[in-house]
């Protein structure tokens, strides 16, 4: 009999226990919703040993038992084989493992990402155990297990600040797009992430595909079994990159498409021909079954045409996120906010969405209802509680767009030390909703998200506590 770890499952081995989770909090979800989400599970110390020998390729129970026996030398192989089989079958019922009489059986049960729904997919699902969808996020699960102690699960790496586009709304000042992360620093960061049991890495820029070592970086992320998100305009996509992306079942891509009108898109990127390159690259990822999400920020330039992007994405079963919130440049000039919608323009966008999408208003009301449970002493957001960012030069900062608020530098101090003891980290973690009285008293607070980076970037002195 063969067993294998599912391709969309992450496993981390702590000193006294093991942790397994699916990739639901890190990948981009499909519009056809044909993906099962499993949840999280804590394993005992011995269970972690059993899980650690599984691979994302089928292995016989005999081979697995032999590997386990190397760590439990005082237990006979027959007993280990029986216990391992029972353990793996239990994990299969919970959705983390697949089994089969042959290698092909295992591979057939390990349903991969696809933009298409076929009768074959439905047939494959018939022999799988029903999976209960999790109610908690991975971070909620870990915080509960570690009794509120912040756990670094997501690391955002700006591997290059250079970019081949000059998007008019970008929060990175164009004068700062000049450098890249060297391989030694990248590999050192990944080694530290392994020790800290980080689950997800986001590779961004600038434009990450400009980095000459981009494929090598992707390969190393795959070898370390990280979930990976790539933020790219895809204009530089090539066969080598596609080949490497396809090898990592935990990889997904986010790409911005601003309009189906090439002139509008190119005016926003300030790069002639960028629309055709990005659109064609998106279709190439679809053809190669590489998960992605489209991002379509709504601004003055595309407020009348963003809807066509949504329709086009839905046609290809690509999830799309559209948002009219533009983050100011982190140099506090607010120059890029010239393209931000006015209140009246936002009102028109919301009205159009409500009129064209029956679920939109329902979703807004549902999210607002949940926010009514927010308490004054609740944490503001996940900044420095589950996520952190590192720039190309080693500066560590709280979140994307807040590059000028450094909490340390990884060339001088370890990531673990910065995460645990940085004074600025501790300050941000200490902030609570009650520290923003203007927001607490606002009658519309359930319909808004307080964001410290937005506050900081729009404030001349970079104060995250000042709400405009």
């Amino acid at each position: 009999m063969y067993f294998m770890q599912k391709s969309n499952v992450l496993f981390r081995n702590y000193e006294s226990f093991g942790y397994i989770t699916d990739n639901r909090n890190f990948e981009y979800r499909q519009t056809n919703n044909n993906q099962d989400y499993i949840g999280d599970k804590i394993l005992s110390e011995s269970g972690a040993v059993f899980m650690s020998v599984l691979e994302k390729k089928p292995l016989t129970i005999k081979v697995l038992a032999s590997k386990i026996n190397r760590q439990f030398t005082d237990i006979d192989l027959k007993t280990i084989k029986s216990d391992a089989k029972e353990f793996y079958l239990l994990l299969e019922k919970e959705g983390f493992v697949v089994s089969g009489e042959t290698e092909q059986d295992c591979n057939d049960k390990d349903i991969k990402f696809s933009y298409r729904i076929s009768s074959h997919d439905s047939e494959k699902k018939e022999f799988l155990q029903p999976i209960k969808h999790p109610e908690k996020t991975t971070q909620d699960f870990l915080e509960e297990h570690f009794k509120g102690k912040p756990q670094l699960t997501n690391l955002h790496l700006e591997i290059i600040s250079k970019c081949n586009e000059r998007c008019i709304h970008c929060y990175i000042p164009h004068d700062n797009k000049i450098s890249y992360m060297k391989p030694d620093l990248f590999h050192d960061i990944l080694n530290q992430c392994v020790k800290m049991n980080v689950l997800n890495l986001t590779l961004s820029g600038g434009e990450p595909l400009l980095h000459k070592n981009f494929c090598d970086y992707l390969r190393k992320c795959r070898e370390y079994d990280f979930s990976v998100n790539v933020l790219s305009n895809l204009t530089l996509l090539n066969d080598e990159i596609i080949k490497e992306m396809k090898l990592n079942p935990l990889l997904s891509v986010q790409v911005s498409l601003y309009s189906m009108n090439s002139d509008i898109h190119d005016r926003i990127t300030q790069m002639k021909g960028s629309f055709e390159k990005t659109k064609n690259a998106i279709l190439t990822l679809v053809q190669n079954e590489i998960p992605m999400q489209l991002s379509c920020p709504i601004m003055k330039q595309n407020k009348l045409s963003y809807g066509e992007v949504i329709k086009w994405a839905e046609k290809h079963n690509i999830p799309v996120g559209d948002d009219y919130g533009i983050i100011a440049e982190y140099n506090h000039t607010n120059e890029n906010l010239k393209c931000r919608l006015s209140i009246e323009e936002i009102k028109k966008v919301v009205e159009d969405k409500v009129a064209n999408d029956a679920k939109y208003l329902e979703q807004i009301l549902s999210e607002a209802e949940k926010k009514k449970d927010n308490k004054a002493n609740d944490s503001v957001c996940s900044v420095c509680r589950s996520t952190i960012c590192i720039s190309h030069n080693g500066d560590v900062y709280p979140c994307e767009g807040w590059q000028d608020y450094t909490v340390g530098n990884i060339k001088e101090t370890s990531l673990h030390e910065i995460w645990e003891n940085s004074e600025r980290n501790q300050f941000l973690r200490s902030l609570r909703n009650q520290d923003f009285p203007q927001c607490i008293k606002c009658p519309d607070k359930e319909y808004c998200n307080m964001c410290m980076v937005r506050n900081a970037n729009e404030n001349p002195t970079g104060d995250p506590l000042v709400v405009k």
Side-chain angles (χ1 to χ4, degrees):
M1 194 170 192
Y2 290 82
F3 291 94
M4 65 179 281
Q5 179 181 321
K6 273 189 175 179
S7 59
N8 68 331
V9 166
L10 291 150
F11 168 68
R12 295 294 183 264
N13 198 348
Y14 291 77
E15 289 184 7
S16 58
F17 66 92
Y19 170 69
I20 43 178
T21 183
D22 58 22
N23 199 34
R24 72 189 184 283
N25 297 126
F26 312 121
E27 67 183 353
Y28 301 119
R29 303 196 178 193
Q30 299 160 269
T31 56
N32 58 26
N33 199 29
N34 67 353
Q35 176 70 45
D36 285 317
Y37 296 101
I38 308 162
D40 311 76
K41 187 177 180 67
I42 295 294
L43 303 175
S44 66
E45 187 173 356
S46 58
V49 174
F50 280 41
M51 188 69 194
S52 67
V53 301
L54 279 178
E55 297 181 15
K56 292 186 177 179
K57 64 180 181 180
L59 296 174
T60 65
I61 189 64
K62 181 179 179 180
V63 169
L64 293 167
S66 296
K67 290 185 175 185
I68 296 169
N69 191 220
R70 294 170 193 164
Q71 298 192 54
F72 295 106
T73 55
D74 56 335
I75 302 176
D76 66 272
L77 192 60
K78 183 178 179 181
T79 300
I80 290 177
K81 186 176 179 180
S82 174
D83 289 349
K85 183 177 180 180
E86 181 181 356
F87 176 76
Y88 295 142
L89 288 174
L90 175 62
L91 288 183
E92 182 174 30
K93 288 182 180 180
E94 296 178 335
F96 298 104
V97 170
V98 290
S99 69
E101 293 301 322
T102 66
E103 293 184 29
Q104 191 59 48
D105 286 343
C106 287
N107 290 324
D108 286 343
K109 289 183 180 180
D110 185 28
I111 298 176
K112 303 294 196 302
F113 175 94
S114 178
Y115 290 98
R116 297 164 293 181
I117 300 177
S118 67
S119 58
H120 181 55
D121 292 331
S122 300
E123 290 169 5
K124 286 198 292 185
K125 283 196 172 189
E126 287 180 2
F127 56 69
L128 297 180
Q129 295 286 342
I131 296 170
K132 182 180 179 181
H133 288 220
E135 297 179 359
K136 296 179 182 177
T137 66
T138 294
Q139 190 57 32
D140 288 340
F141 183 92
L142 287 174
E143 284 217 8
E144 183 177 302
H145 181 81
F146 286 101
K147 304 186 186 310
K149 183 180 179 182
Q151 300 297 308
L152 179 60
T153 57
N154 307 51
L155 183 68
H156 188 116
L157 289 175
E158 180 192 293
I159 63 172
I160 188 169
S161 62
K162 294 179 180 179
C163 190
N164 58 340
E165 294 184 341
R166 289 293 182 267
C167 297
I168 58 176
H169 62 291
C170 185
Y171 53 70
I172 302 176
H174 297 315
D175 290 344
N176 294 357
K177 298 178 179 180
I178 56 176
S179 194
Y180 65 95
M181 181 178 287
K182 295 181 179 178
D184 287 349
L185 178 58
F186 181 83
H187 293 144
D188 179 54
I189 292 171
L190 259 60
N191 286 328
Q192 294 189 53
C193 286
V194 170
K195 293 177 182 177
M196 293 182 69
N197 284 311
V198 171
L199 295 166
N200 173 261
L201 299 177
T202 295
L203 305 185
S204 76
E207 172 47 52
L209 272 59
L210 270 174
H211 201 300
K212 63 180 181 180
N213 299 107
F214 179 69
C215 275
D216 292 333
Y217 288 0
L218 281 187
R219 189 175 302 112
K220 186 57 67 174
C221 290
R222 172 170 55 84
E223 290 171 356
Y224 279 134
D225 198 34
F226 287 116
S227 167
V228 178
N229 301 118
V230 177
L231 309 187
S232 169
N233 59 43
L234 295 181
T235 57
L236 301 172
L237 188 70
N238 59 39
D239 290 343
E240 182 186 8
I241 294 172
I242 293 169
K243 181 179 179 181
E244 180 54 43
M245 284 182 170
K246 290 178 70 173
L247 290 174
N248 189 349
L250 297 171
L251 178 141
S252 53
V253 177
Q254 179 177 316
V255 54
S256 293
L257 191 66
Y258 303 107
S259 174
M260 298 312 295
N261 181 316
S262 60
D263 290 337
I264 294 175
H265 178 95
D266 290 357
R267 281 202 296 271
I268 291 173
T269 65
Q270 300 190 82
M271 176 183 170
K272 189 172 179 58
S274 61
F275 170 76
E276 287 298 332
K277 290 180 180 179
T278 295
K279 186 191 74 170
N280 291 336
I282 290 169
L283 294 175
T284 298
L285 292 192
V286 171
Q287 292 167 3
N288 284 276
E289 303 285 17
I290 296 172
M292 87 184 108
Q293 172 177 293
L294 299 193
S295 175
C296 185
I298 306 171
M299 58 195 95
K300 292 183 181 296
Q301 288 73 10
N302 68 344
K303 65 181 180 181
L304 300 179
S305 62
Y306 75 91
E308 295 304 312
V309 174
I310 297 173
K311 292 177 183 177
W312 185 80
E314 289 176 346
K315 176 183 174 183
H316 296 283
N317 288 325
I318 308 171
V320 56
D322 57 338
D323 183 13
Y324 41 76
I326 304 295
I327 299 176
E329 291 176 293
Y330 63 76
N331 62 4
H332 313 289
T333 63
N334 293 342
E335 281 295 312
N336 66 325
L337 297 186
K338 293 176 182 177
C339 59
R340 179 190 277 176
L341 298 181
S342 67
I343 294 297
E344 285 303 312
E345 288 171 323
I346 291 174
K347 182 180 178 181
K348 181 65 168 61
V349 167
V350 173
E351 289 174 346
D352 289 344
K353 282 180 168 291
V354 170
N356 296 316
D357 184 353
K359 294 183 179 179
Y360 183 71
L361 182 58
E362 180 183 325
Q363 182 181 352
I364 290 177
L365 294 175
S366 174
E367 291 176 357
E369 189 64 30
K370 291 178 183 177
K371 289 179 182 177
K372 288 182 179 179
D373 295 329
N374 290 351
K375 298 178 177 58
N377 199 42
D378 286 347
S379 298
V380 176
C381 66
S382 63
V383 164
C384 297
R385 298 194 64 83
S386 63
T387 66
I388 208 162
C389 306
I390 303 178
S391 71
H392 60 89
N393 63 2
D395 281 342
V396 182
Y397 55 99
C399 68
E400 307 96 291
W402 209 354
Q403 279 91 328
D404 71 325
Y405 190 92
T406 56
V407 299
N409 187 289
I410 201 164
K411 293 180 180 179
E412 302 166 359
T413 312
S414 72
L415 181 59
H416 181 269
E417 178 68 19
I418 293 171
W419 181 255
E420 295 286 340
N421 299 316
S422 163
E423 289 186 9
R424 281 190 157 188
N425 258 8
Q426 301 291 353
F427 167 70
L428 293 175
R429 286 176 188 156
S430 72
L431 293 176
R432 296 293 183 266
N433 289 335
Q434 63 194 13
D435 295 311
F436 300 85
Q438 186 176 339
C439 293
I440 287 287
K441 296 174 183 177
C442 178
D444 300 319
K445 60 181 178 293
E446 286 87 10
Y447 299 92
C448 180
N449 289 314
M450 205 292 297
C451 178
M452 289 187 284
V453 65
R454 295 179 193 273
N455 295 346
N457 285 8
E458 293 187 41
N459 182 270
T461 62
D463 189 342
L465 299 178
V466 177
V467 180
K468 289 192 71 174

